[in-house]
Amino acid sequence: MTVDVYWRIGMGGDHASLRTPKIRNRGDWGGIGPGNIAPALRDGEPDGYAYVDHAAAVAKASEAAGFLGGLLPSFPGTEDPWALSAALAKETSTYRFMVAFQPGFLHPLQAARMSASLQRATGGRLVYNIISGGGGPAQLWWGDKVDHDDRYARTSEFLHVLKGVWRGEPYDFDGRFFATRGAALPEHLAGEPFPEIYFSGSSEAAVNAAGLHSDYYLSWLEPFADLKRKFDGVREHAAKLGRTPKFAVRIDILARHTEEAAWAEIEKGWRYVDPEIANRQAQGDSVGAGRIKGWVPSTITGYRDVEVQPNVWAGFSLLRGGPAFGLVGSYEQVAERLDQLLDLGVDAFILAGNPHLEEAYRVGEEVLPLLGRSRFTSPTAPREPAFVA
């Protein structure tokens, strides 16, 4: 068995480090000023270096460091991952692009045409990260008022239609959210490899939809025992459908030569954390976000309060946006925890670190070799057909 290891490409600027969480100096979301990179001012004038150049540097660095591809997240304040992946494909050779998107905001026929075009242009390097939305203000930003379980029903319909069109024969569909008559891909796009599907969500509705459509069930990192229970539930549901699921985990990493040096980085960043923010409850109707409240103390007084098991820290979201859980420790400790997750049945990792560029090299050079590179999926290995039913 081989393991797919992806890196995250920051889509909304980047921090200089977790030691300085309030300094976002990479990318132009905070404006272009002295001390920034990608882009920056030189002698008071823009230097001509765009944020896409920085994203390309991260993609090339992680490709060189041994990662199979990169996740391109999608949030209201970020670049569009479809467009950016097309730009970055020319900067890399075999690197796969995991495009995150919400099916509710794109018609499946257009998604099929976009996807097949990207596959044709890149030699089959597109991967899907299907998200159905966490509710709350972010969901309303998109103008989406569909409730939680119906968002997953809509996602399931979307994927039924997309897969139906992909087969290359005229396809009819009548559903609650989508309808088609004689739809099919253009002849020159038919026959491209269907993108692998990474499907996330912790609710029963999410697990039901994932069982029908996913190649990989994707979860944020959680305490390992809880993660195992979640995987067991997904396996049980998939077995009823005659399927054997694969699993992927999204993990932030802060690894250094010693455990003390790693926690020192966290301690420096923690000085910027507002105690009220640390104790604020999760917003929206995301079941995954709501689960976090059950693992951390009701009152947080220090950064080690949210170390829920050795090297598993639930405070990353307080230093930067994104998932709460990640791994903190020495290179050997972090590699050991990743090995334990492989023993739980994990088939793929999406790793990340701040800043994305330097940490791609660090994790690639110091952590991945401890796992044994011979276990990793080769970017040139023949790809198994993705699940299309």
Side-chain angles (χ1 to χ4, degrees):
M1 183 196 82
T2 60
V3 180
D4 293 359
V5 186
Y6 287 82
W7 188 249
R8 183 184 187 273
I9 298 178
M11 296 284 286
D14 205 354
H15 303 285
S17 73
L18 288 180
R19 297 190 307 274
T20 55
K22 292 189 176 182
I23 301 176
R24 185 175 291 228
N25 67 339
R26 303 182 185 195
D28 52 10
W29 280 261
I32 304 173
N36 285 2
I37 18 182
L41 292 178
R42 297 290 182 268
D43 298 324
E45 298 293 331
D47 64 358
Y49 190 74
Y51 181 67
V52 67
D53 297 313
H54 178 63
V58 175
K60 288 189 282 190
S62 50
E63 182 177 43
F67 292 91
L68 184 64
L71 167 66
L72 284 72
S74 178
F75 299 102
T78 67
E79 303 280 356
D80 177 75
W82 291 95
L84 196 62
S85 65
L88 297 181
K90 297 290 286 184
E91 303 288 337
T92 54
S93 299
T94 59
Y95 200 73
R96 301 181 190 178
F97 295 94
M98 186 183 295
V99 171
F101 70 101
Q102 293 196 42
F105 312 139
L106 188 64
H107 195 280
L109 301 185
Q110 176 64 5
R113 187 172 65 162
M114 289 168 55
S115 301
S117 294
L118 268 174
Q119 292 293 65
R120 187 174 184 227
T122 65
R125 291 195 274 152
L126 174 64
V127 179
Y128 288 153
N129 175 19
I130 300 293
I131 51 179
S132 297
Q139 203 69 22
L140 292 175
W141 184 93
W142 299 98
D144 188 23
K145 297 182 179 180
V146 175
D147 67 25
H148 179 276
D149 286 5
D150 278 348
R151 290 200 298 273
Y152 285 98
R154 180 177 62 189
T155 293
S156 188
E157 271 196 18
F158 175 97
L159 291 171
H160 275 302
V161 175
L162 197 156
K163 291 177 177 180
V165 172
W166 201 276
R167 296 188 188 99
E169 299 177 359
Y171 182 73
D172 296 341
F173 186 85
D174 282 298
R176 289 176 57 199
F177 303 97
F178 303 104
T180 66
R181 291 290 182 277
L185 283 174
E187 183 177 351
H188 66 282
L189 293 180
E192 292 295 328
F194 191 79
E196 289 181 323
I197 294 176
Y198 283 66
F199 198 112
S200 57
S202 296
S203 67
E204 182 179 354
V207 171
N208 289 340
L212 289 171
H213 297 290
S214 67
D215 297 293
Y216 291 83
Y217 175 77
L218 173 62
S219 175
W220 290 349
L221 182 65
E222 297 180 355
F224 290 8
D226 296 270
L227 201 59
K228 181 181 184 302
R229 281 190 286 271
K230 181 192 284 189
F231 288 172
D232 288 344
V234 172
R235 287 191 186 96
E236 181 179 351
H237 179 73
K240 297 175 183 177
L241 302 173
R243 301 195 60 208
T244 301
K246 294 182 179 181
F247 297 96
V249 183
R250 160 82 173 85
I251 308 173
D252 271 69
I253 287 178
L254 200 161
R256 295 294 185 266
H257 282 290
T258 66
E259 181 180 15
E260 292 77 16
W263 285 113
E265 295 278 301
I266 295 296
E267 191 276 332
K268 291 173 183 175
W270 190 262
R271 299 171 189 172
Y272 295 89
V273 173
D274 185 333
E276 292 186 6
I277 295 177
N279 290 293
R280 185 180 300 163
Q281 293 186 349
Q283 296 183 11
D285 57 9
S286 165
V287 172
R291 285 164 65 92
I292 295 171
K293 293 183 290 185
W295 293 309
V296 300
S298 57
T299 301
I300 299 171
T301 59
Y303 64 93
R304 294 302 286 261
D305 289 348
V306 289
E307 185 185 10
V308 299
Q309 68 182 76
N311 309 113
V312 179
W313 193 62
F316 277 94
S317 58
L318 301 173
L319 301 182
R320 54 94 188 101
F325 282 99
L327 298 177
V328 180
S330 68
Y331 300 135
E332 292 77 13
Q333 287 172 326
V334 168
E336 183 179 353
R337 300 296 169 261
L338 293 175
D339 263 328
Q340 289 172 350
L341 289 168
L342 292 174
D343 290 340
L344 289 182
V346 173
D347 302 282
F349 292 120
I350 302 172
L351 306 180
N354 291 98
H356 289 79
L357 178 59
E358 288 90 331
E359 292 300 313
Y361 282 123
R362 186 192 301 274
V363 174
E365 290 173 342
E366 302 288 358
V367 176
L368 296 189
L370 298 176
L371 296 175
R373 290 188 183 275
S374 61
R375 301 164 71 178
F376 300 162
T377 300
S378 168
T380 58
R383 295 180 61 178
E384 296 181 10
F387 178 69
V388 182

Short mmCIF file of all heavy atoms in Angstrom, two decimals, residues 177-206:
data_model
loop_
_atom_site.label_atom_id
_atom_site.label_comp_id
_atom_site.label_asym_id
_atom_site.label_seq_id
_atom_site.Cartn_x
_atom_site.Cartn_y
_atom_site.Cartn_z
N PHE A 177 -32.47 19.59 -7.20
CA PHE A 177 -31.60 20.74 -7.39
C PHE A 177 -31.11 20.91 -8.83
O PHE A 177 -30.79 22.02 -9.24
CB PHE A 177 -30.38 20.63 -6.47
CG PHE A 177 -30.74 20.52 -5.01
CD1 PHE A 177 -30.81 19.28 -4.38
CD2 PHE A 177 -31.04 21.65 -4.26
CE1 PHE A 177 -31.14 19.17 -3.05
CE2 PHE A 177 -31.38 21.55 -2.92
CZ PHE A 177 -31.43 20.31 -2.31
N PHE A 178 -31.03 19.81 -9.58
CA PHE A 178 -30.48 19.87 -10.93
C PHE A 178 -31.32 19.04 -11.88
O PHE A 178 -31.95 18.05 -11.48
CB PHE A 178 -29.03 19.37 -10.96
CG PHE A 178 -28.11 20.11 -10.04
CD1 PHE A 178 -27.70 19.54 -8.84
CD2 PHE A 178 -27.64 21.37 -10.36
CE1 PHE A 178 -26.84 20.21 -7.98
CE2 PHE A 178 -26.80 22.05 -9.50
CZ PHE A 178 -26.40 21.48 -8.31
N ALA A 179 -31.31 19.43 -13.15
CA ALA A 179 -32.01 18.68 -14.19
C ALA A 179 -31.22 18.80 -15.49
O ALA A 179 -30.64 19.85 -15.78
CB ALA A 179 -33.43 19.19 -14.38
N THR A 180 -31.15 17.71 -16.26
CA THR A 180 -30.47 17.74 -17.56
C THR A 180 -31.31 16.96 -18.57
O THR A 180 -32.10 16.08 -18.21
CB THR A 180 -29.07 17.11 -17.49
OG1 THR A 180 -29.21 15.70 -17.21
CG2 THR A 180 -28.22 17.76 -16.42
N ARG A 181 -31.09 17.28 -19.86
CA ARG A 181 -31.71 16.56 -20.97
C ARG A 181 -30.66 16.33 -22.04
O ARG A 181 -30.16 17.27 -22.66
CB ARG A 181 -32.87 17.37 -21.57
CG ARG A 181 -34.08 17.51 -20.66
CD ARG A 181 -34.85 16.18 -20.50
NE ARG A 181 -36.03 16.36 -19.66
CZ ARG A 181 -36.02 16.34 -18.34
NH1 ARG A 181 -34.86 16.15 -17.70
NH2 ARG A 181 -37.12 16.51 -17.65
N GLY A 182 -30.30 15.07 -22.23
CA GLY A 182 -29.34 14.73 -23.28
C GLY A 182 -27.98 15.37 -23.11
O GLY A 182 -27.30 15.68 -24.09
N ALA A 183 -27.56 15.58 -21.87
CA ALA A 183 -26.30 16.27 -21.62
C ALA A 183 -25.11 15.33 -21.81
O ALA A 183 -25.17 14.15 -21.48
CB ALA A 183 -26.28 16.83 -20.20
N ALA A 184 -24.04 15.85 -22.38
CA ALA A 184 -22.82 15.05 -22.57
C ALA A 184 -21.65 16.00 -22.78
O ALA A 184 -21.82 17.14 -23.21
CB ALA A 184 -22.96 14.12 -23.78
N LEU A 185 -20.47 15.50 -22.48
CA LEU A 185 -19.26 16.28 -22.75
C LEU A 185 -18.99 16.32 -24.25
O LEU A 185 -19.34 15.39 -24.98
CB LEU A 185 -18.06 15.64 -22.05
CG LEU A 185 -17.90 15.85 -20.54
CD1 LEU A 185 -16.73 15.01 -20.03
CD2 LEU A 185 -17.67 17.33 -20.22
N PRO A 186 -18.34 17.39 -24.73
CA PRO A 186 -17.90 17.40 -26.12
C PRO A 186 -16.99 16.21 -26.40
O PRO A 186 -16.28 15.72 -25.52
CB PRO A 186 -17.12 18.73 -26.24
CG PRO A 186 -17.64 19.58 -25.14
CD PRO A 186 -18.01 18.64 -24.02
N GLU A 187 -17.01 15.74 -27.63
CA GLU A 187 -16.29 14.52 -27.98
C GLU A 187 -14.81 14.59 -27.63
O GLU A 187 -14.22 13.62 -27.13
CB GLU A 187 -16.44 14.24 -29.48
CG GLU A 187 -15.78 12.96 -29.95
CD GLU A 187 -16.02 12.70 -31.42
OE1 GLU A 187 -16.82 13.43 -32.04
OE2 GLU A 187 -15.38 11.77 -31.96
N HIS A 188 -14.18 15.75 -27.84
CA HIS A 188 -12.74 15.85 -27.60
C HIS A 188 -12.40 15.89 -26.11
O HIS A 188 -11.24 15.73 -25.73
CB HIS A 188 -12.15 17.08 -28.30
CG HIS A 188 -12.65 18.39 -27.76
ND1 HIS A 188 -13.90 18.88 -28.09
CD2 HIS A 188 -12.10 19.28 -26.91
CE1 HIS A 188 -14.08 20.04 -27.49
NE2 HIS A 188 -13.02 20.30 -26.76
N LEU A 189 -13.41 16.09 -25.23
CA LEU A 189 -13.17 16.08 -23.79
C LEU A 189 -13.58 14.76 -23.15
O LEU A 189 -13.15 14.46 -22.04
CB LEU A 189 -13.93 17.22 -23.12
CG LEU A 189 -13.47 18.64 -23.45
CD1 LEU A 189 -14.32 19.67 -22.72
CD2 LEU A 189 -11.99 18.83 -23.11
N ALA A 190 -14.41 14.00 -23.82
CA ALA A 190 -14.84 12.72 -23.26
C ALA A 190 -13.64 11.76 -23.19
O ALA A 190 -12.76 11.77 -24.05
CB ALA A 190 -15.94 12.12 -24.11
N GLY A 191 -13.62 10.95 -22.15
CA GLY A 191 -12.56 9.96 -22.01
C GLY A 191 -11.39 10.39 -21.15
O GLY A 191 -10.48 9.59 -20.89
N GLU A 192 -11.39 11.64 -20.68
CA GLU A 192 -10.35 12.06 -19.76
C GLU A 192 -10.54 11.35 -18.41
O GLU A 192 -11.66 10.98 -18.05
CB GLU A 192 -10.39 13.57 -19.54
CG GLU A 192 -10.01 14.39 -20.77
CD GLU A 192 -8.56 14.19 -21.17
OE1 GLU A 192 -7.73 13.96 -20.28
OE2 GLU A 192 -8.28 14.23 -22.38
N PRO A 193 -9.45 11.14 -17.66
CA PRO A 193 -9.60 10.46 -16.35
C PRO A 193 -10.45 11.28 -15.41
O PRO A 193 -10.27 12.50 -15.29
CB PRO A 193 -8.16 10.33 -15.84
CG PRO A 193 -7.38 11.38 -16.60
CD PRO A 193 -8.05 11.49 -17.93
N PHE A 194 -11.38 10.62 -14.73
CA PHE A 194 -12.23 11.32 -13.78
C PHE A 194 -11.43 11.67 -12.53
O PHE A 194 -10.69 10.84 -12.01
CB PHE A 194 -13.43 10.45 -13.40
CG PHE A 194 -14.49 11.19 -12.63
CD1 PHE A 194 -15.39 12.00 -13.29
CD2 PHE A 194 -14.56 11.09 -11.25
CE1 PHE A 194 -16.36 12.70 -12.58
CE2 PHE A 194 -15.52 11.78 -10.53
CZ PHE A 194 -16.42 12.60 -11.20
N PRO A 195 -11.53 12.90 -12.03
CA PRO A 195 -10.74 13.29 -10.85
C PRO A 195 -11.10 12.46 -9.62
O PRO A 195 -12.27 12.15 -9.37
CB PRO A 195 -11.12 14.76 -10.64
CG PRO A 195 -11.65 15.23 -11.96
CD PRO A 195 -12.31 14.03 -12.56
N GLU A 196 -10.08 12.13 -8.83
CA GLU A 196 -10.33 11.51 -7.54
C GLU A 196 -11.11 12.49 -6.67
O GLU A 196 -10.91 13.71 -6.75
CB GLU A 196 -9.03 11.14 -6.84
CG GLU A 196 -8.31 9.97 -7.48
CD GLU A 196 -7.03 9.63 -6.74
OE1 GLU A 196 -6.33 10.57 -6.27
OE2 GLU A 196 -6.71 8.44 -6.63
N ILE A 197 -11.97 11.94 -5.81
CA ILE A 197 -12.82 12.77 -4.96
C ILE A 197 -12.42 12.60 -3.50
O ILE A 197 -12.49 11.50 -2.94
CB ILE A 197 -14.31 12.41 -5.12
CG1 ILE A 197 -14.78 12.75 -6.54
CG2 ILE A 197 -15.16 13.15 -4.09
CD1 ILE A 197 -16.22 12.33 -6.81
N TYR A 198 -12.00 13.71 -2.89
CA TYR A 198 -11.82 13.79 -1.44
C TYR A 198 -13.06 14.49 -0.89
O TYR A 198 -13.37 15.61 -1.29
CB TYR A 198 -10.56 14.58 -1.09
CG TYR A 198 -9.28 13.81 -1.28
CD1 TYR A 198 -8.85 13.40 -2.54
CD2 TYR A 198 -8.48 13.48 -0.18
CE1 TYR A 198 -7.67 12.70 -2.72
CE2 TYR A 198 -7.29 12.77 -0.35
CZ TYR A 198 -6.90 12.38 -1.61
OH TYR A 198 -5.72 11.68 -1.78
N PHE A 199 -13.75 13.83 0.02
CA PHE A 199 -15.05 14.31 0.48
C PHE A 199 -15.00 14.50 1.99
O PHE A 199 -14.65 13.58 2.73
CB PHE A 199 -16.13 13.27 0.12
CG PHE A 199 -17.54 13.78 0.14
CD1 PHE A 199 -18.26 13.88 -1.03
CD2 PHE A 199 -18.15 14.14 1.34
CE1 PHE A 199 -19.58 14.34 -1.01
CE2 PHE A 199 -19.45 14.60 1.37
CZ PHE A 199 -20.18 14.70 0.18
N SER A 200 -15.34 15.71 2.45
CA SER A 200 -15.24 15.99 3.88
C SER A 200 -16.61 16.23 4.50
O SER A 200 -17.57 16.58 3.81
CB SER A 200 -14.35 17.22 4.12
OG SER A 200 -14.85 18.34 3.41
N GLY A 201 -16.69 16.06 5.81
CA GLY A 201 -17.92 16.27 6.57
C GLY A 201 -18.06 15.23 7.66
O GLY A 201 -17.77 14.05 7.43
N SER A 202 -18.51 15.66 8.84
CA SER A 202 -18.58 14.75 9.99
C SER A 202 -19.99 14.30 10.35
O SER A 202 -20.17 13.42 11.17
CB SER A 202 -17.96 15.42 11.23
OG SER A 202 -16.59 15.68 11.02
N SER A 203 -21.01 14.92 9.75
CA SER A 203 -22.39 14.60 10.10
C SER A 203 -22.84 13.31 9.43
O SER A 203 -22.19 12.78 8.52
CB SER A 203 -23.31 15.74 9.67
OG SER A 203 -23.33 15.83 8.26
N GLU A 204 -23.99 12.80 9.85
CA GLU A 204 -24.55 11.60 9.22
C GLU A 204 -24.85 11.86 7.74
O GLU A 204 -24.61 11.00 6.89
CB GLU A 204 -25.82 11.18 9.95
CG GLU A 204 -26.45 9.91 9.38
CD GLU A 204 -27.70 9.47 10.14
OE1 GLU A 204 -28.02 10.10 11.17
OE2 GLU A 204 -28.36 8.51 9.69
N ALA A 205 -25.37 13.05 7.45
CA ALA A 205 -25.67 13.40 6.05
C ALA A 205 -24.40 13.39 5.21
O ALA A 205 -24.40 12.94 4.06
CB ALA A 205 -26.35 14.77 5.98
N ALA A 206 -23.29 13.89 5.78
CA ALA A 206 -22.02 13.91 5.06
C ALA A 206 -21.51 12.50 4.82
O ALA A 206 -21.04 12.17 3.72
CB ALA A 206 -21.00 14.73 5.83
#
